[in-house]
Amino acid sequence: MSANTIPNGNSSGPTVQKSSNKLNGGIPPSGPSIHDASNLSDVRAALAALHVRETSVTTRLNALLSSQADLSRELGRLDLLRANLGSQVIATRSISNGMLSSAADTAGRLSSRVKDLDLEKDRVQQTLRVVEQVAELKACVHGVVGSMGAPQDWEAAAGYISRASKVPEPIIRGGFAASMVPSVEVPDAPWVTLENAKESLCGLFLREFEKAANEGDGAKITRFFKLFPLIGRGDVGLDVYGRYVCQGVAGTARATLRATPGDAGKRDGFFYANALTKLFEHIAQIVENHGALVERHYGEGKMVKVIERLQMEADVQGGIILDSWSDERGVDRKLTDAKSYPFSFLVQSFLPPQRTLTGTPRMNSPAVGSGTNVRNSEDEGVDMKEVDGLLSEISVMLGRWSLYSKFLAGKCKEPDTPEDAPLSIPEVVTKSNLGRKISARLTTPYNSLALFFFRRSVEKAFQLDESPTGLSLSLNKPIDGNAPYIISAVDDVMYIVSAMIQKAMSTAQRDVAASVIPDVGRVLGSDFIGMVQRRMRDESYPQPVVQGGLPPENKIIQFIVLINSLDVAKDYLARIITTQIGTSSDQPNGTSHPNPLAASFPFEHDVTFVTSALNTLNSTFAIKTSELISDALKVLFANVIKQRLKPVLVDAFRDADYWRSEDELAEIARQNDEDEEEVIDRVQRRFEHGWDALMKPIARLMTGKTFTALMDLTATDLSKTLEKRVWSYSGKTSAYGAIRMERDFSGIVSTVARDNYSVRELFARVTQILMVANMEEEEWEEVNGEDGEDAIQWVLNEDERRRARNLVKS
């Protein structure tokens, strides 16, 4: 290392130096850097530092070289130790091989002998088991033959065969059993003997079972029925038992149909429904009472075989009942008549009103509703009483079929099915002929007749409809009857709706609910609402007779009655649906009762489907009625309320002089010999008098909800009118007049919102305009400076507030 190489600008110098510091912590720091030298003394100082560093490095290198001899000695000693250890390892391995190999050979021989002993022991045990099984087989064979001999102990013989069936088949048919079991008394091979015994006993049991069945000996029937599975003929036992119980079912069903002599009993509305009910009850009783016996002796799940056989008999007997019922009731003819019924009254009611040359409506029109046009249903080809009775009878039969299906579903479900799992309809029901016949003979006719019956009931309700009498818009005349004032068709139709839904739910059939509920909704939406809408438009529309006049009082009353009818019908239907699904919005904390439909519709998602259909019916009808009510209220407001409200406002503000000062007003009161307070309150009194005369007669006729909606319409329009009037006084009002104006307008708002405080919100703009106009300057500045939650929630924008401040003339 030379000092002459440092000033060359080579950057490797400091880098090497820095690395050297990291490797040799004992080397002193390099001192002043030559790169920082600015004069000769600095260069000399840097050179001296480099010499010192060179000396230190040289010393350390010499120390390392002197320690190399010691390291070489230690490495030599390690090599010697390694050689000694290697020789010891070799010696150890030789000792291990010599001493332990004999022990390992001994252990291997012992293990092999143990395995041989285990194998011999297992073979001995297997031989013993074979010997025991052959001995058991021999005992059973001789026991069977002995029991079937003179003792004729059939239970013992069946028991021996049952015991023999537990011996494996290869043992029975093996050579050892063939040589050991036969004897002088029983020379045949064991499997031949057992098979012959089974056949013989099976034939004997069949004869005895049928004999006991013919004699009606229940004890003997049970005795031999229990023996079939013991001899391996469980299928035969179940078959003969199924035939036996089916004979009983068939006999009972035929006896039921013959029980009532003549046609008088069969004409009874529920004769065939009762016959079908007895058929299902008889089968259910058999399954319930005999199920435990079958499961105990034949095995779990074997009762399903009997149920399938019973269902085949139910298909036959139920089909006979349904065919007889259909022929006796003339169902096909009634379906044809119902489908061809023209609904003349409804159709003609929706036609445009025809007028003669003189402009008067044609007489005897269904739209007029004259009594001469009302015809009896018998004269129209369809007896409504017969249809209603038919629907009732079908609903009973469908309800019994649903209970029967639910019962079989519970009996046929898998044993490991959870208790709370929804039921699924078993194949024995879905694939049965009776199920298909019920769908064709009961469900389909029911859906068609229910639609006809409901639509015809709606038509009849409007044919016989009556409006409430004794209603008046004069407060001086008392009103006859009790609120709500609605047409009689609402009560009639909603009664039929309730009956139809209740009857459909009693069938517990998803297919019925899926048809009847939407049909009810369609008829209500098209015919019921359509008839009310047509009457509103053509018969009761509140239109003035003379241009600029007011509608006739009877038209207004009829229009209000129709609005009430829609509102009440909506509430009635909501109540009907609530009763069915068991929920109510009136329950505290949003709680609801359990759905009562869950018991009637237990299969999988049926209850969800039916509940959804009922809610859809309710919501759809509510939407349609609400829309029509809203439109009708707008008509009522525009043609009645608004026309009468204008004179009320004109009279109330007839001589309102908000430009006068307080002294001028007091002077006028003295001149007219009037009390000053009466003069000040004159606008409020006049408006209240006119408002009560206008709204109270209407309020006592309308329902609460419809009147509230009408009040909202009226208040909305009135607030805009009052706002325009306030702005009309801009720049023309004195300070005292603005105070009076705020008092008058507040009185008007209080009168309008007397029975419904929420109406006040509709007058917020008017209230804020007058509040701003009457604020003192300091208060106004304070209000303008407020921010946050405590600030006034303005409905006026900034320009409107400035304009309100200029309401009072300077």
Side-chain angles (χ1 to χ4, degrees), residues 244 332 467 527 625 747:
Y244 162 68
D332 293 337
S467 295
D527 295 337
T625 52

Side-chain angles (χ1 to χ4, degrees), residues 452-592:
F452 162 77
F453 181 80
F454 181 58
R455 195 173 186 211
R456 176 67 187 113
S457 299
V458 172
E459 182 182 55
K460 196 72 173 178
F462 279 102
Q463 282 180 299
L464 303 176
D465 182 40
E466 294 180 356
S467 295
T469 58
L471 303 182
S472 174
L473 292 176
S474 175
L475 292 176
N476 298 324
K477 294 181 181 180
I479 294 179
D480 299 335
N482 298 320
Y485 305 106
I486 58 175
I487 58 176
S488 62
V490 172
D491 290 327
D492 297 339
V493 169
M494 288 302 153
Y495 173 79
I496 298 298
V497 169
S498 178
M500 292 294 297
I501 293 178
Q502 181 64 39
K503 199 170 290 184
M505 295 301 102
S506 69
T507 66
Q509 291 288 314
R510 173 172 175 161
D511 292 340
V512 171
S515 176
V516 171
I517 296 174
D519 285 345
V520 168
R522 282 192 292 270
V523 173
L524 285 176
S526 61
D527 295 337
F528 178 78
I529 295 179
M531 285 292 293
V532 175
Q533 185 178 18
R534 201 273 310 164
R535 288 189 176 183
M536 285 181 166
R537 185 187 65 237
D538 299 337
E539 298 180 14
S540 305
Y541 195 81
Q543 187 173 2
V545 179
V546 181
Q547 184 69 26
L550 295 175
E553 180 179 350
N554 65 322
K555 296 289 186 181
I556 298 174
I557 293 174
Q558 291 175 12
F559 199 75
I560 291 175
V561 168
L562 292 175
I563 294 175
N564 292 345
S565 300
L566 289 173
D567 184 53
V568 172
K570 181 175 65 173
D571 290 343
Y572 277 176
L573 183 63
R575 203 174 306 148
I576 291 169
I577 301 302
T578 297
T579 302
Q580 290 298 326
I581 62 179
T583 57
S584 175
S585 58
D586 297 334
Q587 296 295 323
N589 301 325
T591 58
S592 60

Side-chain angles (χ1 to χ4, degrees), residues 21-71:
N21 283 338
K22 290 182 179 179
L23 295 174
N24 304 308
I27 298 174
S30 61
S33 174
I34 191 64
H35 299 287
D36 297 331
S38 59
N39 50 41
L40 182 60
S41 60
D42 292 339
V43 171
R44 288 176 179 174
L47 181 60
L50 288 174
H51 283 303
V52 172
R53 182 172 178 80
E54 181 183 11
T55 303
S56 176
V57 170
T58 301
T59 303
R60 290 184 62 82
L61 288 175
N62 292 333
L64 289 173
L65 289 173
S66 62
S67 64
Q68 186 175 5
D70 296 334
L71 291 174

Side-chain angles (χ1 to χ4, degrees), residues 282-594:
H282 189 190
I283 294 175
Q285 188 176 9
I286 291 173
V287 174
E288 186 67 28
N289 294 339
H290 297 190
L293 177 68
V294 174
E295 299 282 345
R296 182 166 62 251
H297 293 285
Y298 284 77
E300 193 173 19
K302 294 298 182 181
M303 190 62 192
V304 176
K305 298 288 185 181
V306 180
I307 292 175
E308 291 174 353
R309 186 63 184 266
L310 284 169
Q311 184 57 46
M312 294 173 64
E313 188 62 33
D315 293 345
V316 176
Q317 301 303 325
I320 294 173
I321 293 173
L322 293 181
D323 290 339
S324 302
W325 166 81
S326 181
D327 295 339
E328 180 71 25
R329 300 290 187 254
V331 176
D332 293 337
R333 178 182 56 81
K334 287 184 174 62
L335 280 173
T336 302
D337 293 342
K339 290 178 180 178
S340 61
Y341 184 78
F343 296 101
S344 303
F345 179 82
L346 289 177
V347 172
Q348 294 180 19
S349 295
F350 287 103
L351 294 177
Q354 300 180 13
R355 295 183 177 272
T356 62
L357 295 177
T358 58
T360 58
R362 56 185 170 86
M363 299 304 294
N364 296 331
S365 168
V368 178
S370 60
T372 59
N373 193 57
V374 179
R375 298 173 296 175
N376 293 326
S377 58
E378 291 80 4
D379 298 333
E380 295 159 353
V382 182
D383 189 343
M384 292 291 287
K385 290 184 179 179
E386 289 185 3
V387 174
D388 187 28
L390 202 60
L391 289 173
S392 298
E393 192 172 11
I394 295 176
S395 67
V396 171
M397 288 191 282
L398 287 176
R400 298 298 183 268
W401 169 250
S402 297
L403 289 175
Y404 175 73
S405 301
K406 178 182 177 182
F407 173 78
L408 292 187
K411 293 298 180 180
C412 294
K413 68 180 181 179
E414 296 296 330
D416 55 349
T417 303
E419 288 294 330
D420 56 347
L423 294 176
S424 58
I425 304 178
E427 289 187 357
V428 69
V429 174
T430 57
K431 295 183 178 180
S432 65
N433 292 329
L434 183 57
R436 289 190 287 269
K437 181 160 285 191
I438 280 180
S439 177
R441 293 282 190 178
L442 296 181
T443 304
T444 301
Y446 184 90
N447 294 339
S448 300
L449 290 175
L451 174 59
F452 162 77
F453 181 80
F454 181 58
R455 195 173 186 211
R456 176 67 187 113
S457 299
V458 172
E459 182 182 55
K460 196 72 173 178
F462 279 102
Q463 282 180 299
L464 303 176
D465 182 40
E466 294 180 356
S467 295
T469 58
L471 303 182
S472 174
L473 292 176
S474 175
L475 292 176
N476 298 324
K477 294 181 181 180
I479 294 179
D480 299 335
N482 298 320
Y485 305 106
I486 58 175
I487 58 176
S488 62
V490 172
D491 290 327
D492 297 339
V493 169
M494 288 302 153
Y495 173 79
I496 298 298
V497 169
S498 178
M500 292 294 297
I501 293 178
Q502 181 64 39
K503 199 170 290 184
M505 295 301 102
S506 69
T507 66
Q509 291 288 314
R510 173 172 175 161
D511 292 340
V512 171
S515 176
V516 171
I517 296 174
D519 285 345
V520 168
R522 282 192 292 270
V523 173
L524 285 176
S526 61
D527 295 337
F528 178 78
I529 295 179
M531 285 292 293
V532 175
Q533 185 178 18
R534 201 273 310 164
R535 288 189 176 183
M536 285 181 166
R537 185 187 65 237
D538 299 337
E539 298 180 14
S540 305
Y541 195 81
Q543 187 173 2
V545 179
V546 181
Q547 184 69 26
L550 295 175
E553 180 179 350
N554 65 322
K555 296 289 186 181
I556 298 174
I557 293 174
Q558 291 175 12
F559 199 75
I560 291 175
V561 168
L562 292 175
I563 294 175
N564 292 345
S565 300
L566 289 173
D567 184 53
V568 172
K570 181 175 65 173
D571 290 343
Y572 277 176
L573 183 63
R575 203 174 306 148
I576 291 169
I577 301 302
T578 297
T579 302
Q580 290 298 326
I581 62 179
T583 57
S584 175
S585 58
D586 297 334
Q587 296 295 323
N589 301 325
T591 58
S592 60
H593 298 294

